[in-house]
Amino acid sequence: MEARGGRGGRGGVASRGSRVMAAPEEPCGSRAGGEPGREAAGLSGARGRRRARGAAAMFRCGEEIVSGESEEESSGVNLMEFSDEILLHILSYVPCTDLVLNVRRTCRKLATLCLDKSLTHTVLLQKDYKVNKDKVKQLMRDIGKEIYQLNMAGCYWLPSSSIDHITRCKNLVKLNLSGCHLTSLHLSKTLSMLQHLRSLAIDVNPGFDAGQLSSECKATLSRVLELKQTLYTPSYGVVPCCTSLEKLLLYFEILDRSREGFMLSGQLMVGESNVPHYQNLRVFYARLAPGYVNQEVVRLYLAVLSDRTPENLHAFLISAPGSFAETGATKNLLDSMARNVRLDALQLPKAWINGSGLLQHLKFNNPFYFSFSRCTLSGGQLIQRVMNGGKDLKSLTSLNLSGCIHCLAPESLFRKAEDDIDSSILESLVVSCCNLRHLNLSAAHHHSSKNIGNHLCQLLARLKHLLSLALPVCSISDVAANMEKPPMQSNVTPQTLGKKVWIGIQTYSNQKPQSSVFWALMGSLPFLENLEIIGSSFSSAMPRNEPAIRNSLPPCVRAQSVGDSEVAAIGQLTYLQSLTLAQLPNILTGSGLVSIGLQCQHLRTLSLANLGMMGNVVYMSALMDMLKHCKCLRDLRLEQPYFSAGAQFFQALSHCSSLQRLCIVSRSGTLQSDAVMSFMANCLEVIMCHMFMGESLTVCKNLQQSIVRSSMDDSSQLLKPGPLYIHIQMKTLSETSL
């Protein structure tokens, strides 16, 4: 079921490395690493957020005073007594639409401050689901000339006519229209009036015609330096018009078949590519969705680069799922890059690196981003070819080694999954790349030896600047502690879907184990914002960029000892914002989740998959207790067979007052329709609800119709603010669908 979310997707898949160290949205901007994580340093950013929240509380007290209550009658602080600097800082956390259309009408002082250039310079409408076309019109009319950066990404509910009002923003420098309804004519009309535009993000949908762009529009595009273009149809889009490009970000989302079922071709006219116009290019980034058409189209873009490689190119990143074979043109491009450029960021498909000496010839200059996901890179190659024998790489802030099963072993030949890692390789990596902020070691078996001081967690504890971290479950297993405990036969029994696997009863306490290396690691990373702990053999039932594996392998033997105590250790991360836990078989009660809910008050994204026994949701009680404390939670994804989404669950979920997106994937799962309706009525911010359960089509359709009626009926109390256009899709997940 998808409610109020036209292009909602699947609510954040908890697949391998799905968030931490995923392909970066803007690889050479402030976020050098994956999608999660901020570049701001830990202490100053954390304190700033804490001060801002305290100030926001005082702002609410001030609102009461402004609304008519005298200072003597109120126990709060008078907001108007603060200095302009403090007030501007407080107001910077209020959405611009509220500032201009509401707050500035309260009093004369706020009327002046709300129009300060520091607040109107950048307008963010992204994910502001309460904005409608009338508010956009009024906003552009009031402060259009003051806006220099406008982000409307994902405003799919706004009609294309809303884009016309952007023409009032004469001084606009940066514009993001990704996900908006945009025709060639509307784009032409808008860009014709934006002579100062230097950064643009748009979608290229079927029916796009560059021939409809006016000469004034093309003149604006000729001055654009940064272009982000999402392709839903084979096309060069506006790239041929952007003759001064320095940064090109391409997102290929082209389907292999049209809606009518016809096969699509990825062939384009080479003459439209404008070969000379790439010579100023400094950043090239391409992210491909699955499908051969996407590969065909991106090869045409690369063919242009292989003809004349830009001399100033310093970032070259291609993210491609599955197999993406190297061709003669791409080989020529890489050879030319090895001769003529020095890179700061590199990401290539695994087939382009495996078995080649490419890394040995490429030159790097103060690199900040490396991604070798799924490559057969050994530890020896990592040290010698990438780190130049332990060269100082303090500039490196982001490193993705997801799926690199041999990267912490000296050689890749004859290594077994159960073999221990070479701690000296990891130690060299930690010492050389001491300023890492984003690290992904997931989707591999990284087993530490029993030698004291050489555990993976102990070595990673030296990376004090980490903001995001992804690890396999088996890597956090405490070898020394496990050796002191008698082995339990039930802990090594493979888990099978639908069969209850009873694990030996253990005594659990929230107190910190004296010798736990994972507890020590979590305590040494106080400013970590994004964490993923995922089983090395885990595969989501509904992955984004890889096929679902029907018969997945049992969890790693070492992972059998990771359970509630390790989950409780995560509660030490005070500033944690995003958490993914998948395939932790030794979860007995889920009591560690309660610790996270109580202590991680900044948590916004939570993804849980296949915890504990597969045939029974053993952590349901603890999850409900946890949700009662998650006041800032916006995204929740649960993937668990036999999950019962009943009244008690949705009642607990209703405490998450900030929740916007919910996704439940459960084979043989059940839901209670009345509970869903009550939840949708209480959580006013929810704009997307996906449920893939085992219910019948009749139940799904009836629930779908009920939600539609409650959302569209003006007299109903269930009516919520949100997008004007509501899209609801209910699907069943049967036993054979996986």
Side-chain angles (χ1 to χ4, degrees), residues 29-308:
S30 60
R31 294 187 181 182
E35 292 174 293
R38 294 194 180 108
E39 284 295 333
L43 185 59
S44 61
R47 288 179 176 174
R49 288 191 295 271
R50 190 163 48 198
R51 287 196 299 267
R53 288 184 176 86
M58 290 185 286
F59 177 67
R60 288 192 293 270
C61 295
E63 283 183 326
E64 296 178 358
I65 298 174
V66 172
S67 63
E69 187 178 5
S70 65
E71 183 178 359
E72 292 77 16
E73 296 173 345
S74 173
S75 59
V77 179
N78 191 341
L79 178 69
M80 296 299 102
E81 294 180 355
F82 291 165
S83 67
D84 290 352
E85 289 77 11
I86 294 179
L87 290 175
L88 287 173
H89 182 74
I90 297 174
L91 293 173
S92 66
Y93 289 87
V94 181
C96 190
T97 50
D98 286 339
L99 289 178
V100 176
L101 304 181
N102 298 320
V103 178
R104 76 182 180 106
R105 303 180 187 278
T106 57
C107 67
R108 292 181 180 179
K109 185 172 184 177
L110 289 179
T112 302
L113 292 177
C114 287
L115 296 181
D116 188 85
K117 290 184 177 181
S118 63
L119 301 178
T120 59
H121 180 277
T122 300
V123 174
L124 304 177
L125 301 182
Q126 183 183 23
K127 296 182 180 180
D128 191 348
Y129 300 103
K130 297 181 181 180
V131 173
N132 55 35
K133 61 179 181 179
D134 294 329
K135 289 185 178 181
V136 172
K137 180 180 179 179
Q138 186 64 39
L139 187 68
M140 300 304 157
R141 179 183 299 174
D142 291 350
I143 63 169
K145 295 182 180 180
E146 307 298 328
I147 301 176
Y148 286 81
Q149 298 185 24
L150 177 61
N151 188 345
M152 297 179 64
C155 294
Y156 56 87
W157 62 90
L158 294 176
S160 56
S161 58
S162 300
I163 307 299
D164 296 339
H165 301 300
I166 301 176
T167 56
R168 295 178 179 270
C169 307
K170 304 293 184 181
N171 298 316
L172 203 61
V173 175
K174 187 173 183 178
L175 176 62
N176 191 335
L177 296 176
S178 298
C180 296
H181 293 290
L182 188 66
T183 65
S184 306
L185 292 177
H186 280 99
L187 179 65
S188 179
K189 179 180 178 181
T190 301
L191 297 188
S192 297
M193 306 299 293
L194 306 179
Q195 299 180 5
H196 301 285
L197 194 67
R198 296 296 180 270
S199 178
L200 176 65
I202 61 170
D203 293 348
V204 178
N205 292 293
F208 178 85
D209 184 5
Q212 295 180 342
L213 303 180
S214 65
S215 57
E216 292 82 2
C217 173
K218 293 180 179 179
T220 298
L221 289 171
S222 67
R223 294 184 289 267
V224 168
L225 303 179
E226 299 180 0
L227 175 64
K228 176 185 175 183
Q229 190 169 257
T230 304
L231 297 169
Y232 292 98
T233 186
S235 172
Y236 284 115
V238 299
V239 170
C241 302
C242 301
T243 57
S244 303
L245 275 184
E246 295 181 359
K247 183 176 180 180
L248 178 59
L249 309 179
L250 299 171
Y251 295 76
F252 295 87
E253 298 285 346
I254 310 170
L255 300 177
D256 290 344
R257 292 179 179 271
S258 65
R259 291 184 177 181
E260 294 76 18
F262 299 110
M263 297 291 293
L264 294 179
S265 172
Q267 296 300 317
L268 299 174
M269 295 182 63
V270 179
E272 297 178 353
S273 59
N274 259 347
V275 175
H277 299 157
Y278 290 107
Q279 292 313 298
N280 296 323
L281 204 62
R282 295 174 54 83
V283 177
F284 181 86
Y285 171 72
R287 189 190 71 185
L288 284 68
Y292 74 95
V293 175
N294 290 314
Q295 297 183 7
E296 286 187 2
V297 176
V298 77
R299 284 195 178 101
L300 295 176
Y301 281 86
L302 295 176
V304 178
L305 294 177
S306 64
D307 185 69
R308 289 182 59 186

Side-chain angles (χ1 to χ4, degrees), residues 381-392:
Q381 294 172 321
L382 180 65
I383 298 298
Q384 297 299 325
R385 298 184 181 180
V386 180
M387 301 171 55
N388 293 329
K391 178 184 177 182
D392 182 10

